[in-house]
Amino acid sequence: SKECTCFYAKVIDEDLPLAVDILSDMTLHATLDEGELNKERGVILEEISMEEDSPEDVVHELIMLAHFGDQPVARPILGSEERVSAFTRDDLYAYWHHMYSPKCAVLAIAGHYDWEQVVSLAEKHLLAWNAGERYARDTQTHAVRPARLAREKDVEQMNLCLGFPGVAIGEKRSYEFSVVNSVLGGSMSSRLFQKIREESGLAYSIYSYPNSYTDCGLTTIYAAARPDSLKQVVDMTLREVRALAEKGMTRAEFEMARQQLKAGYILGQESTSARMNAAGRRLLLLNRTRSEEEVLRAIDGLTFEGANELAKELLSAEPSVALVGKGAEKALKGLNI
């Protein structure tokens, strides 16, 4: 992801020793073979080209740039064609040597395992890992004035993203953030989906989603519409955003969103991969974890008033805008945002 990398394996319990052996070897003793590097470089360049062929992917990358400007969090995980083409094995080795140390790594496991065996395997494969210096993050994401960006693409639909402020990962309001997003456009019962797709039929695809990082957050609304419907879609979207900011959600909407959040979390706990990722990411980025009981108490403790206060705070802000499609630059100038 933008802030961490996960090397993982999902195996039956009897193959745990093999999984730890392989993953530790990859992490500690990577050869970074020159020939393999060049082959993988070609694969990544193909992935960059594929993303450029997808206007939906392009607009989601563009909204990050519009909202955060030229800061690390706004840059694509794949990188740029120019940088990927230019770096050498020495560059990759220097990065690996600088970033990969036990002081900034987490071993996370979920599923059917014996803890004593896990400890024994960790000691066997990781105890000799050279401690080195902990990577110190030297960047901080700063607020910038929201921008309006357009990219020309010869496609039939206009792909639009609006960006509003969000909540950083680990903040107390992160669950309220999820509730606000669910009411706005995060589910099929949301306002945007019901008003713009179901009732008006103006957009086949419209939704919102929350992005949370260690020091910033973003609320993104995405819509794909015909060029002749774009202005109406934008006007209706902003009307729903302003209504939620000014009048708030209803108690029925709040309770439904909270129950959806709770159900999603509980059902997600049935996935060992989800448990492993959540525990490892939280410990790595925030230096703490949360038990299932703590999460459920936090969700049960959400208040109607708190969710509406957060909705007003986030959705009253000036949005950033990204538009991708045929005639996008001209269309952007005609939008009343």
Side-chain angles (χ1 to χ4, degrees):
S1 68
K2 288 181 181 282
E3 294 191 296
C4 60
T5 301
C6 177
F7 295 88
Y8 66 94
K10 188 170 185 177
V11 298
I12 58 175
D13 53 4
E14 63 187 59
D15 287 335
L16 178 61
L18 178 62
V20 176
D21 184 11
I22 292 173
L23 290 177
S24 61
D25 198 32
M26 289 168 57
T27 306
L28 276 65
H29 310 297
T31 57
L32 305 179
D33 180 80
E34 187 82 41
E36 293 299 320
L37 168 61
N38 287 328
K39 282 195 286 186
E40 187 60 28
R41 189 200 313 275
V43 172
I44 296 172
L45 290 173
E46 284 297 322
E47 290 177 343
I48 293 173
S49 297
M50 286 173 60
E51 187 172 88
E52 278 296 314
D53 288 340
S54 169
E56 184 172 352
D57 289 343
V58 173
V59 79
H60 287 298
E61 291 290 356
L62 197 61
I63 194 63
M64 295 292 292
L65 185 61
H67 197 82
F68 294 111
D70 186 21
Q71 300 187 80
V73 73
R75 296 169 192 156
I77 295 171
L78 282 172
S80 67
E81 185 174 343
E82 179 183 7
R83 293 296 298 274
V84 172
S85 299
F87 69 70
T88 65
R89 181 193 180 277
D90 289 341
D91 296 326
L92 202 62
Y93 180 81
Y95 176 88
W96 172 75
H97 184 72
H98 177 61
M99 299 288 286
Y100 283 44
S101 81
K103 292 185 177 180
C104 54
V106 164
L107 173 63
I109 186 169
H112 183 251
Y113 59 85
D114 176 79
W115 180 245
E116 295 301 323
Q117 182 191 30
V118 173
V119 173
S120 176
L121 289 169
E123 290 177 343
K124 176 183 177 181
H125 293 284
L126 302 173
L127 197 59
W129 195 356
N130 181 16
E133 293 294 326
R134 179 180 175 89
Y135 163 70
R137 178 171 173 164
D138 57 1
T139 59
Q140 182 177 356
T141 306
H142 300 282
V144 300
R145 182 174 178 79
R148 295 155 59 95
L149 300 178
R151 283 277 300 277
E152 295 292 325
K153 286 285 179 183
D154 189 11
V155 292
E156 295 301 317
Q157 285 187 314
M158 283 293 185
N159 292 262
L160 169 79
C161 275
L162 301 176
F164 294 86
V167 173
I169 183 175
E171 277 195 31
K172 291 182 179 179
R173 303 185 301 173
S174 59
Y175 297 115
E176 290 173 339
F177 186 30
S178 295
V179 167
V180 171
N181 173 71
S182 181
V183 173
L184 177 63
S187 68
M188 287 190 290
S189 60
S190 67
R191 294 188 178 190
L192 292 178
F193 189 90
Q194 288 297 316
K195 292 287 186 181
I196 297 174
R197 176 185 153 127
E198 296 298 283
E199 294 180 16
S200 304
L202 290 172
Y204 177 76
S205 180
I206 183 162
Y207 56 84
S208 67
Y209 62 93
N211 268 335
S212 292
Y213 305 99
T214 51
D215 62 357
C216 63
L218 173 67
T219 306
T220 302
I221 298 171
Y222 168 80
R226 301 187 310 273
D228 59 354
S229 301
L230 178 65
K231 188 176 186 304
Q232 195 174 356
V233 168
V234 170
D235 290 344
M236 290 183 68
T237 298
L238 291 176
R239 193 179 308 133
E240 293 302 322
V241 168
R242 289 164 185 151
L244 185 54
E246 294 168 6
K247 299 178 182 178
M249 65 189 75
T250 66
R251 286 194 177 273
E253 287 176 319
F254 169 74
E255 289 299 339
M256 180 183 291
R258 181 167 63 170
Q259 288 305 314
Q260 287 174 339
L261 176 61
K262 187 174 182 178
Y265 174 76
I266 292 173
L267 293 174
Q269 292 299 94
E270 296 181 7
S271 164
T272 53
S273 298
R275 281 178 175 250
M276 176 272 293
N277 270 299
R281 183 169 179 261
R282 191 174 182 87
L283 184 59
L284 179 67
L285 298 180
L286 301 176
N287 201 31
R288 63 182 184 272
T289 60
R290 301 189 81 173
S291 67
E292 183 175 338
E293 292 73 20
E294 287 177 306
V295 172
L296 292 176
R297 279 200 303 271
I299 295 174
D300 287 336
L302 294 175
T303 66
F304 175 65
E305 294 77 16
N308 276 329
E309 286 176 8
L310 184 61
K312 182 176 182 179
E313 178 185 333
L314 300 181
L315 302 179
S316 295
E318 177 188 355
S320 51
V321 186
L323 187 63
V324 174
K326 188 187 298 184
E329 293 184 5
K330 181 179 179 181
L332 184 58
K333 295 177 182 177
L335 297 180
N336 184 26
I337 302 177

